[in-house]
């Protein structure tokens, strides 16, 4: 709430506060709010680095904007081909869509034994990607 008040008063460069709010909203599982805030960062403030695009993808998954999540993770991995979280998320999303070939490509770009996701798990029974608790 204090961040939101400060954001309303900030006139020069509110993007840092918007980012803090968006990250907070992810951890509070207020994904739709985070999704809107990250879109504002990407579109309005041109924060198009791999990390911001990845976090926007997380918010997109949480708010069930799957197609947008795919696009955001694709952009994130283009900005940084070694962003394994984005590749892993893409692989899971492609599996969810039953696009095995695309999933295999993403998983194949992650070196064996050096990566464990801090953000995602996959419920095989429900076949849906979700943000890790």
């Amino acid at each position: 709430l204090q961040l939101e008040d400060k954001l309303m008063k900030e006139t020069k460069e509110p993007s840092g506060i918007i980012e803090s709010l968006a990250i907070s909203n992810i951890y509070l599982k207020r994904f739709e709010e985070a999704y809107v805030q990250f879109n504002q960062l990407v579109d309005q403030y041109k924060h198009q680095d791999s990390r911001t695009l990845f976090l926007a993808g997380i918010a997109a998954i949480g708010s069930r904007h799957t197609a947008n999540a795919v696009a955001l993770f694709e952009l994130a991995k283009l900005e940084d081909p070694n962003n394994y979280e984005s590749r892993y998320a893409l692989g899971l999303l492609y599996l969810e869509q039953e696009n095995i070939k695309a999933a295999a490509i993403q998983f194949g770009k992650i070196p064996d034994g050096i990566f464990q996701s801090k953000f995602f798990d996959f419920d095989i029974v429900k076949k849906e990607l979700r943000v890790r608790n």
Side-chain angles (χ1 to χ4, degrees):
L1 206 47
Q2 290 176 349
L3 278 175
E4 290 174 10
D5 290 340
K6 186 167 178 163
L7 176 60
M8 298 308 248
K9 295 176 186 172
E10 184 70 44
T11 56
K12 285 187 177 182
E13 184 57 41
S15 65
I17 297 167
I18 294 169
E19 180 180 15
S20 296
L21 282 170
I23 291 169
S24 294
N25 281 327
I26 285 174
Y27 286 105
L28 293 171
K29 298 184 188 268
R30 297 187 326 207
F31 296 112
E32 189 63 39
E33 291 174 50
Y35 177 71
V36 169
Q37 291 161 335
F38 275 115
N39 276 332
Q40 184 180 12
L41 285 172
V42 170
D43 296 336
Q44 183 178 344
Y45 293 100
K46 305 301 181 201
H47 289 226
Q48 297 174 352
D49 59 283
S50 185
R51 178 183 170 274
T52 301
L53 293 165
F54 170 74
L55 292 170
I58 289 174
I61 287 173
S63 56
R64 302 206 183 275
H65 298 286
T66 306
N68 291 349
V70 169
L72 288 161
F73 291 134
E74 285 285 355
L75 290 171
K77 74 156 175 118
L78 288 174
E79 285 295 315
D80 178 6
N82 295 320
N83 184 332
Y84 299 133
E85 285 284 0
S86 290
R87 288 190 178 279
Y88 183 69
L90 275 171
L92 293 175
L93 286 168
Y94 289 139
L95 283 176
E96 186 176 74
Q97 297 168 356
E98 299 181 10
N99 187 342
I100 306 304
K101 185 176 180 179
I105 290 169
Q106 296 310 314
F107 293 141
K109 298 285 184 177
I110 301 171
D112 290 338
I114 69 162
F115 172 76
Q116 181 175 354
S117 179
K118 297 176 186 164
F119 291 92
F120 299 105
D121 57 17
F122 188 70
D123 188 337
I124 293 176
V125 174
K126 291 183 182 178
K127 292 186 186 175
E128 81 180 12
L129 181 63
R130 62 177 183 254
V131 177
R132 187 180 294 275
N133 290 332

